[in-house]
């Protein structure tokens, strides 16, 4: 994985709050003392600690060169577990919020050419990537879909983009992005970055099946579907730093069992999408159940996300 653990805990001020689109608020977070915020790169996200112990991840979508502010955009999701409702109802300008980050599971690799695909609020991590690709002199194009223009955030910024690099696909006007046309032929020297709802990402994966390994980079906001665990019974985890060996039963996560033993582990999403609880694996085979690692990274068996991933063998040895 690519995440770094030089994250910080900050209490930040909501310096401005604007409407980004229908159902989307844009928040500008600043240090109350005016101090510079930690550096970040396109693809990074931060955790917001919300009410009732809720933690939610939001992509940074501002300008990495401006160290005075972190900008996020939050879609109100009525079907969600309450995180977005809290942001929309309680986080008004002048309020303060606990933040942890930045963390980057979706870094922009160097490439002569980029193909960006965004669905809805998935535009947020892509925005700073467009600026970075432009600054690097790379060729790029963006396909951005949403229910309607009213629901698509940051359209004004994108309409200023040069030439025909940006193609908008409001569903009520033109239907869904024609992924077979956009991705049907693998393009040499091109990497694909996609973020958005799960059906879009599944379709992108399907249409990139014939592209060279490593061409596709995805960020999921919700966990992908997982089948049954490889092992239905218990397994052991040996913790080298703590000198403990613990048993993980079928109905509990490695994270739960480790925390119950009094070992403090940073964690956040509990669903294998944020990367916080990444743990080095020293021996054993992992049943990877996260939505972050590439197939090659999973096959290396040297890291796991202990909130969701399990053992595919009787015992794992972890550096904890």
């Amino acid at each position: 994985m690519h995440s770094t653990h030089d994250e910080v805990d900050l209490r930040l001020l909501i310096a401005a709050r604007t409407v980004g689109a229908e159902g989307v608020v844009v928040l500008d977070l600043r240090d109350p003392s005016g101090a510079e915020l930690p550096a970040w790169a396109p693809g990074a996200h931060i955790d917001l600690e919300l009410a009732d112990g809720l933690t939610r991840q939001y992509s940074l979508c501002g300008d990495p060169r401006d160290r005075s502010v972190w900008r996020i955009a939050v879609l109100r999701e009525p079907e969600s577990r309450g995180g977005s409702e809290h942001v929309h109802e309680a986080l008004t300008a002048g309020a303060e919020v606990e933040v942890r980050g930045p963390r980057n599971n979706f870094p922009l690799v160097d490439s002569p050419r980029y193909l960006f695909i965004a669905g809805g609020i998935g535009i947020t991590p892509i925005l700073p990537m467009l600026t970075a690709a432009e600054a690097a002199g790379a060729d790029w194009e963006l396909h951005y879909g949403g229910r309607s223009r009213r629901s698509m955030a940051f359209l004004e910024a994108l309409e200023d983009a040069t030439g025909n690099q940006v193609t908008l696909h409001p569903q009520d006007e033109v239907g869904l992005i024609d992924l077979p046309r956009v991705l049907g032929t693998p393009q040499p020297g091109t990497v694909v970055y996609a973020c958005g709802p799960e059906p879009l990402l599944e379709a992108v994966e399907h249409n990139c099946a014939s592209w060279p390994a490593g061409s596709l980079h995805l960020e999921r906001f919700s966990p992908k579907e997982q089948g049954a665990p490889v092992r239905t019974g218990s397994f052991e985890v040996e913790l080298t730093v703590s000198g403990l060996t613990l048993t993980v039963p079928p109905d509990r996560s490695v994270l739960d069992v480790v925390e119950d033993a009094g070992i403090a582990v940073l964690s956040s999403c509990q669903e294998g999408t944020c990367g916080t609880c990444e743990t080095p694996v020293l021996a054993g085979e992992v049943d990877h159940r996260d939505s972050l690692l590439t197939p090659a990274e999973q096959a290396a068996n040297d890291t796991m996300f202990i909130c969701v991933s399990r053992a595919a063998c009787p015992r794992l040895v972890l550096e904890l």
Side-chain angles (χ1 to χ4, degrees), residues 128-254:
M129 293 184 178
L130 305 180
T131 310
E134 186 74 25
D139 287 332
W140 61 269
E141 63 179 89
L142 165 68
H143 292 271
Y144 176 21
R147 290 189 313 281
S148 67
R149 284 177 191 266
R150 287 190 315 280
S151 72
M152 295 166 69
F154 304 113
L155 284 190
E156 299 75 24
L158 291 169
E159 281 163 352
D160 294 341
T162 50
N164 56 1
Q165 292 165 292
V166 176
T167 308
L168 302 179
H169 303 260
Q171 198 175 331
D172 60 351
E173 296 174 30
V174 298
L176 297 171
I177 302 173
D178 185 353
L179 292 175
R181 186 184 65 76
V182 175
L183 297 171
T185 310
Q187 299 171 34
T190 302
V191 291
V192 179
Y193 274 77
C195 186
E198 187 58 24
L200 172 69
L201 299 185
E202 283 179 6
V204 168
E205 282 185 312
H206 174 73
N207 282 282
C208 280
S210 60
W211 285 59
S215 301
L216 176 59
H217 301 259
L218 294 178
E219 177 148 83
R220 286 185 151 88
F221 289 149
S222 54
K224 60 184 176 187
E225 287 293 314
Q226 302 285 352
V230 173
R231 290 177 66 85
T232 51
S234 300
F235 58 91
E236 289 187 333
V237 287
E238 181 185 328
L239 310 180
T240 57
V241 179
S242 318
L244 295 175
T245 297
L246 306 173
T247 300
V248 181
D251 58 336
R252 307 202 64 207
S253 69
V254 177

Side-chain angles (χ1 to χ4, degrees), residues 29-219:
L29 308 176
R30 296 180 186 269
D31 188 293
S33 71
E36 279 201 336
L37 296 173
W40 61 279
H45 69 256
I46 55 173
D47 295 352
L48 260 57
E49 312 277 339
L50 304 172
D52 305 327
L54 281 178
T55 303
R56 289 292 175 269
Q57 288 74 43
Y58 298 106
S59 299
L60 291 169
C61 58
D63 181 352
R65 292 166 300 191
D66 183 354
R67 296 283 298 277
S68 70
V69 64
W70 280 349
R71 171 170 288 181
I72 59 171
V74 181
L75 172 68
R76 184 193 285 262
E77 300 191 59
E79 306 302 306
S80 77
R81 292 172 293 173
S84 69
E85 287 288 330
H86 179 82
V87 171
H88 277 252
E89 295 298 330
L91 295 189
T92 50
E96 293 194 349
V97 63
E98 301 287 338
V99 178
R100 176 193 289 160
R103 185 181 319 118
N104 201 337
N105 303 318
F106 193 43
L108 190 65
V109 297
D110 288 333
S111 177
R113 192 162 184 282
Y114 298 94
L115 181 52
F116 297 106
I117 299 170
I121 200 67
I123 190 64
T124 50
I126 302 287
L127 276 180
M129 293 184 178
L130 305 180
T131 310
E134 186 74 25
D139 287 332
W140 61 269
E141 63 179 89
L142 165 68
H143 292 271
Y144 176 21
R147 290 189 313 281
S148 67
R149 284 177 191 266
R150 287 190 315 280
S151 72
M152 295 166 69
F154 304 113
L155 284 190
E156 299 75 24
L158 291 169
E159 281 163 352
D160 294 341
T162 50
N164 56 1
Q165 292 165 292
V166 176
T167 308
L168 302 179
H169 303 260
Q171 198 175 331
D172 60 351
E173 296 174 30
V174 298
L176 297 171
I177 302 173
D178 185 353
L179 292 175
R181 186 184 65 76
V182 175
L183 297 171
T185 310
Q187 299 171 34
T190 302
V191 291
V192 179
Y193 274 77
C195 186
E198 187 58 24
L200 172 69
L201 299 185
E202 283 179 6
V204 168
E205 282 185 312
H206 174 73
N207 282 282
C208 280
S210 60
W211 285 59
S215 301
L216 176 59
H217 301 259
L218 294 178
E219 177 148 83

Side-chain angles (χ1 to χ4, degrees), residues 227-311:
V230 173
R231 290 177 66 85
T232 51
S234 300
F235 58 91
E236 289 187 333
V237 287
E238 181 185 328
L239 310 180
T240 57
V241 179
S242 318
L244 295 175
T245 297
L246 306 173
T247 300
V248 181
D251 58 336
R252 307 202 64 207
S253 69
V254 177
L255 177 65
D256 289 338
V257 171
V258 165
E259 287 186 329
D260 278 0
I263 296 156
V265 180
L266 279 180
S267 68
S268 175
C269 74
Q270 312 283 335
E271 59 182 24
T273 54
C274 78
T276 311
C277 68
E278 184 169 7
T279 300
V281 178
L282 304 179
E285 193 181 338
V286 181
D287 174 10
H288 292 286
R289 305 178 65 75
D290 64 88
S291 302
L292 286 159
L293 296 175
T294 65
E297 287 169 334
Q298 291 191 346
N301 267 320
D302 57 5
T303 190
M304 72 184 288
F305 298 99
I306 59 173
C307 67
V308 289
S309 293
R310 305 185 70 76

